[in-house]
Amino acid sequence: MVDVPEPKNDLAAALAELTDLNFELPDPEDEDISELLFDQQIDQAWTVCDRFDLQTDIWRGRIMRAVRDREKVGGEGRGTGFINWLKEREISKSQAYSLIELANSADTLLEQGDLDPDSINKFSKRAFVETAKSEPEIQSMVTQAARDGDRITRREVRQLSDEWTAMNSELLPDNLKEKANTGSLPARYLAPLVREMEKLPEPHQNSIREEAAENPDVDTVKHLTSDARNLAKYLDAAAQVQVLGKDEVDLEMALEEALRIGCINVAADMVKQAATLEQMTVKLYTTWRRLASITDRLYVDTGASTPNLRALLTVLDRLAGNAIEVQLEEDSDRTIRLQFLTDSNR
């Protein structure tokens, strides 16, 4: 018999405590149980399920990773066997790789020494996934809190992440950091501002930082976060609009004017819609050309012996012909007519 080695970073000990899920739930019709006690018992049961769910998914991910890697060694190399294995168990490919990623994250944290198996009991599933996606410094803070016995939910992970971001970002002025450190300006307001500022060019970052330094309060931070978000949308969309690259338009000056009169959100939406319209127009033209090509090819193969097929082609000519005709609404008499005029038509 071949000896089977114990899995590395075995979590069996942690799982052993949670294998019995036949706990008693409080009777919802028992009026002698106070609301506080009822809520405490429900939360306790929910926490056990949450922990069990996380650890089970980690092991499922490890199992699927083993099946996938086994095929790489002895299979055809195209993943067919692994896909069939998933189909037999009614597991989607995306779900499988999500669980494999979760297992990889667990093993990484365990191998780095940042997390021990017993500490996994302190995490909710979402908190664990959130931790695995965080920066190494944030992972260290969260896992230390778990080792100290704290219950870790996604809220705690985000709170620690926000605090770390607020205190370590070079994009924020020192007086904002000081307020975050003293708690007079909660870090949860500063982290979104940092994330939006990171998307902007340096000149815009400097401008926002200066305004934040002059007015280090919650309302200003919220306003600047909104402006930064709209700035990023404006700049990203403007780079995609082809027509803006052909005409002499000073996008920066237009941006400054929009900021000055307080309509940057409208300007950002306008440019975004323009980018969407251009992309949809290109896609529409490509689809129209393909439909026209298909109908032309089919027309050659039809004749008097295929009157119904010819009738179908005649009707579809409203879409494949020189002008596209589409009824605006099913019960409406209004019709939209579109005609493409390309350079070759001139």
Side-chain angles (χ1 to χ4, degrees):
M1 180 180 292
V2 178
D3 292 333
V4 180
E6 290 294 323
K8 193 174 182 180
N9 299 319
D10 192 2
L11 295 178
L15 280 171
E17 302 175 4
L18 303 174
T19 53
D20 186 8
L21 297 183
N22 293 319
F23 38 72
E24 293 185 6
L25 295 177
D27 185 353
E29 297 181 3
D30 189 349
E31 297 181 356
D32 294 333
I33 301 178
S34 67
E35 289 296 325
L36 178 60
L37 181 59
F38 181 86
D39 291 341
Q40 287 177 343
Q41 293 180 1
I42 288 294
D43 288 342
Q44 183 179 8
W46 185 268
T47 298
V48 173
C49 292
D50 208 4
R51 293 173 182 172
F52 190 84
D53 184 43
L54 167 63
Q55 295 171 0
T56 301
D57 280 351
I58 290 174
W59 276 109
R60 287 184 184 275
R62 286 173 169 168
I63 292 168
M64 285 183 275
R65 183 179 62 195
V67 175
R68 182 200 63 185
D69 293 349
R70 179 68 173 180
E71 184 177 1
K72 290 181 180 179
V73 175
E76 299 179 359
R78 294 193 298 270
T80 306
F82 178 54
I83 298 301
N84 290 336
W85 188 91
L86 294 177
K87 288 181 178 179
E88 290 175 1
R89 288 156 180 81
E90 298 181 347
I91 302 172
S92 68
K93 188 176 179 180
S94 60
Q95 182 184 11
Y97 277 96
S98 176
L99 293 176
I100 290 174
E101 182 183 10
L102 178 63
N104 290 339
S105 299
D107 290 345
T108 299
L109 290 174
L110 289 166
E111 288 172 0
Q112 289 175 347
D114 292 336
L115 188 66
D116 58 80
D118 291 335
S119 296
I120 291 182
N121 285 330
K122 304 299 181 183
F123 284 81
S124 70
K125 180 179 178 181
R126 290 185 176 183
F128 190 86
V129 173
E130 194 88 12
T131 302
K133 294 179 179 179
S134 300
E135 298 291 334
E137 295 84 357
I138 298 171
Q139 289 181 1
S140 179
M141 293 168 61
V142 174
T143 53
Q144 181 58 51
R147 285 196 297 270
D148 292 341
D150 294 347
R151 171 70 178 148
I152 308 298
T153 65
R154 188 165 59 167
R155 180 179 179 181
E156 277 70 36
V157 177
R158 288 183 174 179
Q159 181 178 345
L160 289 171
S161 176
D162 288 348
E163 290 175 358
W164 183 87
T165 300
M167 298 309 300
N168 292 274
S169 176
E170 297 180 356
L171 297 176
L172 296 179
D174 291 337
N175 57 347
L176 274 186
K177 293 182 180 180
E178 291 174 4
K179 286 203 167 191
N181 190 36
T182 60
S184 59
L185 205 166
R188 68 177 183 273
Y189 293 113
L190 297 179
L193 176 59
V194 171
R195 287 191 285 268
E196 295 302 334
M197 289 179 68
E198 288 174 344
K199 304 173 186 177
L200 299 174
E202 186 175 351
H204 294 295
Q205 291 176 347
N206 294 336
S207 175
I208 291 176
R209 183 165 52 244
E210 291 173 2
E211 187 171 349
E214 293 177 2
N215 301 286
D217 55 71
V218 172
D219 289 339
T220 299
V221 169
K222 288 182 178 180
H223 175 71
L224 291 176
T225 301
S226 178
D227 278 354
R229 184 180 299 111
N230 287 319
L231 273 169
K233 290 180 180 179
Y234 176 92
L235 294 173
D236 181 61
Q240 301 177 44
V241 180
Q242 297 180 27
V243 69
L244 293 178
K246 297 179 180 180
D247 296 324
E248 295 182 359
V249 177
D250 193 326
L251 294 174
E252 283 294 329
M253 289 301 298
L255 178 59
E256 288 186 15
E257 292 170 359
L259 286 169
R260 177 167 53 82
I261 64 175
C263 66
I264 179 59
N265 58 328
V266 179
D269 188 44
M270 176 184 66
V271 178
K272 182 180 179 181
Q273 294 300 325
T276 302
L277 181 59
E278 275 194 347
Q279 294 165 8
M280 291 176 62
T281 301
V282 172
K283 186 175 182 180
L284 175 62
Y285 175 73
T286 303
T287 305
W288 171 70
R289 286 290 300 271
R290 177 165 177 75
L291 177 61
S293 175
I294 293 173
T295 54
D296 286 345
R297 188 167 68 245
L298 189 58
Y299 186 84
V300 174
D301 296 333
T302 60
S305 62
T306 56
N308 294 297
L309 197 53
R310 272 296 179 95
L312 174 63
L313 288 170
T314 300
V315 172
L316 288 181
D317 193 54
R318 298 174 187 172
L319 299 175
N322 292 330
I324 300 175
E325 295 186 8
V326 180
Q327 205 168 1
L328 187 59
E329 295 178 2
E330 187 175 351
D331 299 328
S332 173
D333 294 333
R334 299 178 63 186
T335 301
I336 300 174
R337 292 181 177 83
L338 300 175
Q339 185 174 8
F340 290 103
L341 298 176
T342 63
D343 291 340
S344 59
N345 295 132
R346 297 176 181 175

